[in-house]
Amino acid sequence: MKLGLSLGYWGARPPQGVDELVRDAVACGYESIWTSEAYGSDALTPLTWHGARTPGVRLGTAVVQMSARTPTATAMAALTLDHLSGGRFVLGIGASGPQVVEGWYGQPYPRPLARTREYVAILRQALAREDVEFDGAHYQIPFRGGAGLGKPLHATVHPLRRDLPILLAAEGPKNVALAAEIADGWIPLFYAPDDDTLYRERLAAGFAARPASDTRDPGAFEVACPVQVVIDDDVEAAADRLRPMIALYVGGMGAKGANFHHEAIARLGFEAECAAIQDAFLAGRRHEAIAAVSTAMVDKIALVGPRERVRDRLGAWHGSLVTTMLVSGAPTALRALADLV
């Protein structure tokens, strides 16, 4: 299992000390840097910034949002960054949720799996420098109507790698299977190594759905999993650091009945807790929502507590299907995990 540094996305302003954090992580043996986006900072600009200062490490997006860019615009960014980095780029994409897609990007959300399938198909054409032609339910290239002058085009830039890796962020069972079918890797969120068998079954279904002409090796499939790490002699104090984030995702990152983070953690055996968190959060009782995040819930998806406890719990992660752990944490936690791994 490799280690990657997860920088996430910015809060209200650019975070301080990130350059030092990146240098420290690379010195400890972290082999990749990953960024993401919501509806503030984008994923590609910070990744390029840090990549230019950190030669040798892989650069990944976890994730860029599909609705933020057309498939060909995403392909252009990927081609460019792959050249600038000397073939170190990994493209992670995700559909996001209806509140962001419709509320921020002003695009329709329904049928995200079908849109993802079309998006990846167009990406593959563009990244291979083929003439891009696609007539789907969600994307039409060249565009139907308009001036009527559109014609199939291929990228002016020759790709450094025609098979640039595409990873798909997914939480729901069907979307996880789709990642195995059409992508080169999977980026889970709120993954629990204790439920590894269930995830393997979903991925196996996706691999089985690949056409016979698909020669990609399932054994090369990457699972890049974000994991929060807090080292503290007091387990409860360590869990307290993560309760607000979990409460936000379970309670507020999506509407009631359309929050995929809520559903993902509920499936881990926390249905009642997730319902209580969401009800309190949506009612404006955020302190109550945070308090409803149990330590067992934190423990299921994160690594918290004294160094020895984290070491013991790493066994489940080593035995899981995760190939790269994308670590978020303080510099001391990053160093401790590098030593343990």
Side-chain angles (χ1 to χ4, degrees):
M1 186 174 65
K2 299 176 182 178
L3 293 180
L5 173 63
S6 177
L7 296 177
Y9 49 82
W10 297 356
R13 56 188 58 84
Q16 300 298 306
V18 178
D19 287 344
E20 294 79 5
L21 184 68
V22 170
R23 286 196 296 267
D24 198 20
V26 173
C28 290
Y30 285 68
E31 63 93 34
S32 55
I33 302 168
W34 300 72
T35 55
S36 57
E37 60 191 16
Y39 41 96
S41 60
D42 77 299
L44 293 164
T45 308
L47 190 63
T48 306
W49 176 273
H50 294 299
R53 287 161 168 73
T54 318
V57 301
R58 286 199 305 155
L59 308 172
T61 54
V63 297
V64 296
Q65 295 172 328
M66 289 163 37
S67 296
R69 303 160 190 86
T70 64
T72 46
T74 298
M76 289 168 63
L79 287 168
T80 304
L81 190 47
D82 203 42
H83 269 288
L84 291 174
S85 65
R88 293 183 283 141
F89 182 59
V90 180
L91 175 62
I93 64 171
S96 191
Q99 285 191 328
V100 174
V101 172
E102 297 184 355
W104 182 249
Y105 295 117
Q107 297 189 28
Y109 182 78
R111 302 192 66 199
L113 269 68
R115 285 190 298 109
T116 300
R117 187 182 293 276
E118 292 187 12
Y119 199 99
V120 171
I122 297 168
L123 275 176
R124 299 255 186 226
Q125 289 185 39
L127 292 172
R129 200 170 177 260
E130 299 172 358
D131 287 343
V132 178
E133 291 188 80
F134 197 85
D135 187 15
H138 302 275
Y139 300 99
Q140 299 86 41
I141 304 177
F143 182 69
R144 299 174 189 160
L149 300 176
K151 66 176 184 178
L153 300 172
H154 58 256
T156 59
V157 177
H158 289 250
L160 188 63
R161 295 179 295 167
R162 295 170 64 93
D163 58 349
L164 189 151
I166 300 172
L167 277 60
L168 183 62
E171 292 179 90
K174 292 181 180 179
N175 210 13
V176 172
L178 182 67
E181 179 186 349
I182 67 173
D184 304 300
W186 170 42
I187 303 174
L189 187 60
F190 304 129
Y191 169 91
D194 297 338
D195 291 347
D196 194 67
T197 300
L198 180 59
Y199 297 119
R200 289 182 186 275
E201 291 173 353
R202 294 169 184 169
L203 292 177
F207 292 139
R210 289 182 176 182
S213 59
D214 191 332
T215 59
R216 290 175 299 153
D217 177 13
F221 191 79
E222 180 167 16
V223 180
C225 181
V227 181
Q228 298 276 345
V229 180
V230 181
I231 304 293
D232 194 302
D233 288 340
D234 186 333
V235 174
E236 290 300 318
D240 286 344
R241 296 276 298 278
L242 301 183
R243 292 187 221 274
M245 178 273 294
I246 295 173
L248 170 64
Y249 274 79
V250 171
M253 295 290 271
K256 194 163 188 175
N259 182 330
F260 307 117
H261 312 305
H262 176 283
E263 294 170 8
I265 294 184
R267 279 193 295 269
L268 299 178
F270 300 103
E271 293 88 351
E273 293 95 325
C274 286
I277 293 167
Q278 188 176 63
D279 287 345
F281 197 99
L282 295 179
R285 303 190 304 273
R286 297 198 177 190
H287 290 296
E288 182 181 329
I290 292 169
V293 177
S294 66
T295 302
M297 184 184 294
V298 176
D299 229 12
K300 191 88 167 177
I301 58 176
L303 289 166
V304 298
R307 181 187 175 103
E308 295 74 19
R309 186 177 191 272
V310 169
R311 179 198 61 205
D312 294 341
R313 293 191 60 77
L314 267 174
W317 292 90
H318 278 299
S320 75
L321 52 77
V322 172
T323 59
T324 301
M325 181 181 284
L326 310 185
V327 182
S328 296
T332 52
L334 297 178
R335 288 192 290 270
L337 199 67
D339 290 342
L340 293 171
V341 170

